[in-house]
Amino acid sequence: AVDLQFIPDIKLGMRNAKEKEKRLRALKAGMSKEQRQTIAEQQKQLLERQTTPDSPEALAALPSLSRKDISPLPLAFHPERLTSDGQPPVLSEDVRTNGLHYLKIAFPLEIFDTEELDLPPFFTSMLNHVGTARHDYATFDDLLAAVGADMEFDYSLESNLAASGRLHGLLSCRFSALDETWPKALDYLNERLTSTVFTERKRIMELLRQRNSKYRLSVQEDAHLFTRMRAGAGLTTQATCVEHWQGLTHYLACRRAAAMTSSKLIPLLERFEAMMAKLSTATPLAITHVGPASG
């Protein structure tokens, strides 16, 4: 147990004020008469600008909303299903999005074996930041940027562990791109989903160190959240899994991974490759698209 005590310094504010006054006096003493006059004039001009009311024309240019402009009912969406029954649903909604397409692909976490379920936090973060069989990470990232595309993988827990010990959850891919570059952007999405490799050891080791640093800082700044997750672990299978993926248990896993040498990293990379092989051939639960009908 750790007992932390924070003792306020009641004289700190007074000391800071005196130090500030001392610095300002020294600064003023080093100024010429012309410099002091210039600052005084600038202060006067600033005060005039801040206290002068906006003109009616400027106020009229500001957009405004009233309650009658907002419907009390939620927006109605009527996505079109683009696949027949028996196939994974592909749902598309033609919505005004200023020429942007938004795509989300959801895979079931059940495609992974039970012994692989400690890796989704690491695996999804790696998918966002490693290369493919055709391009290293830096090149692939530049190609995405050139077509105005953005891609992110994440995971979520949908329910408790089943009686069989299998996990019900989603591994999702969120993807967006410009309408004029949409076909080419989809080529890069396909490349990511089918040919991601984990061969850039130096980069992967750096990513593991960054993740460890991030969680170490989180533990320091939000210790109460980690304590709450730790206390809840064991009460339900879902709470246990959340703590395992996001809590102190995961931080300890991050610390171990960050300390790995290049040779000890090989078994972890092999596990990532095995998970990628399953993902690249998996059937999505659903695909949703929002944007221009041309998509």
Side-chain angles (χ1 to χ4, degrees):
V2 177
D3 183 16
L4 298 178
Q5 291 184 345
F6 295 89
I7 303 174
D9 184 349
I10 60 176
K11 296 183 179 180
L12 178 62
M14 186 184 302
R15 290 201 303 270
N16 288 342
K18 289 182 178 180
E19 181 64 26
K20 182 179 180 180
E21 182 179 358
K22 181 179 178 181
R23 292 198 307 268
L24 291 175
R25 287 183 181 276
L27 182 62
K28 183 178 180 181
M31 290 182 178
S32 65
K33 181 178 180 180
E34 291 75 14
Q35 288 176 319
R36 292 195 295 270
Q37 288 178 342
T38 299
I39 292 177
E41 182 62 30
Q42 290 174 342
Q43 289 178 326
K44 181 180 178 181
Q45 293 174 2
L46 176 61
L47 182 61
E48 289 178 353
R49 291 183 59 185
Q50 291 176 333
T51 56
T52 301
D54 292 317
S55 67
E57 294 78 13
L59 293 174
L62 294 175
S64 61
L65 285 175
S66 64
R67 292 187 62 181
K68 65 180 182 181
D69 296 317
I70 304 174
S71 172
L73 302 176
L75 293 176
F77 290 98
H78 305 286
E80 176 187 2
R81 178 166 179 151
L82 306 180
T83 51
S84 58
D85 293 340
Q87 294 179 315
V90 178
L91 306 176
S92 181
E93 177 80 7
D94 185 2
V95 176
R96 179 176 175 81
T97 56
N98 292 325
L100 281 170
H101 293 278
Y102 297 92
L103 193 71
K104 185 170 184 178
I105 309 174
F107 296 92
L109 277 178
E110 287 93 333
I111 64 176
F112 302 123
D113 296 333
T114 303
E115 58 270 18
E116 294 171 329
L117 294 180
D118 61 328
L119 291 181
F122 292 106
F123 182 63
T124 53
S125 66
M126 290 291 155
L127 282 178
N128 295 326
H129 301 292
V130 296
T132 69
R134 294 181 56 194
H135 301 102
D136 60 29
Y137 165 72
T139 303
F140 187 79
D141 196 49
D142 288 342
L143 292 171
L144 282 181
V147 295
D150 183 67
M151 187 186 314
E152 183 179 4
F153 288 82
D154 203 355
Y155 62 91
S156 60
L157 186 64
E158 293 298 303
S159 63
N160 289 341
L161 292 171
S164 62
R166 303 294 290 171
L167 187 68
H168 295 281
L170 298 176
L171 186 152
S172 59
C173 172
R174 293 189 294 272
F175 184 73
S176 62
L178 300 172
D179 183 44
E180 55 265 32
T181 59
W182 184 239
K184 188 62 178 177
L186 287 177
D187 289 340
Y188 297 140
L189 172 62
N190 182 63
E191 182 177 343
R192 170 61 79 203
L193 287 172
T194 60
S195 62
T196 294
V197 294
F198 299 87
T199 55
E200 299 173 87
R201 290 194 197 179
K202 185 176 180 180
R203 172 162 182 78
I204 291 173
M205 291 177 68
E206 181 60 30
L207 290 172
L208 291 173
R209 294 189 187 104
Q210 289 177 7
R211 189 171 185 86
N212 177 58
S213 298
K214 172 186 174 182
Y215 265 84
R216 182 175 62 223
L217 182 61
S218 296
V219 170
Q220 294 170 348
E221 293 183 343
D222 302 308
H224 60 290
L225 297 179
F226 286 84
T227 302
R228 187 171 62 186
M229 282 190 284
R230 187 74 171 202
L235 298 179
T236 66
T237 50
Q238 186 171 7
T240 302
C241 193
V242 169
E243 198 282 330
H244 194 78
W245 280 355
Q246 302 173 11
L248 186 61
T249 300
H250 181 61
Y251 165 58
L252 295 176
C254 289
R255 192 166 65 178
R256 290 192 297 270
M260 287 182 179
T261 61
S262 181
S263 58
K264 291 184 178 181
L265 192 65
I266 295 177
L268 179 61
L269 301 185
E270 290 176 345
R271 296 180 71 190
F272 287 157
E273 294 282 3
M275 294 176 73
M276 190 65 221
K278 295 174 183 177
L279 179 63
S280 65
T281 58
T283 300
L285 290 174
I287 300 174
T288 59
H289 165 263
V290 175
S294 59

